[in-house]
Amino acid sequence: MERLPKDPIMLYSVINTKLRDFYSSLEALCEDMNIDKNTLKEKLSSAGFEYNKERNQFI
């Protein structure tokens, strides 16, 4: 996660853009970018965002 923004709002934007443009799932993104999925979800959850699998984005 050191390559990603620390600010949760910026992180939200970057992750959703990557999910939209490059990855079919959160699992694929995390595996490819070597990110712990639970850590990412906790960081975004702290800012009020939850992952929606059907939409493949944090909302």
Side-chain angles (χ1 to χ4, degrees):
M1 297 243 336
E2 62 276 349
R3 301 177 305 200
L4 295 171
K6 303 289 186 231
D7 177 70
I9 303 300
M10 293 299 296
L11 180 62
Y12 162 79
S13 178
V14 168
I15 293 298
N16 273 347
T17 299
K18 289 184 178 294
L19 287 168
R20 182 191 69 219
D21 294 346
F22 303 110
Y23 299 100
S24 61
S25 69
L26 180 60
E27 290 77 13
L29 178 145
C30 289
E31 183 177 323
D32 187 55
M33 295 186 69
N34 197 29
I35 298 171
D36 180 72
K37 182 174 75 169
N38 291 327
T39 301
L40 177 61
K41 288 174 81 173
E42 286 173 13
K43 177 85 169 174
L44 290 172
S45 178
S46 73
F49 301 111
E50 298 295 328
Y51 181 66
N52 181 296
K53 189 172 186 173
E54 290 78 32
R55 294 176 65 176
N56 190 35
Q57 68 182 48
F58 282 87
I59 54 175

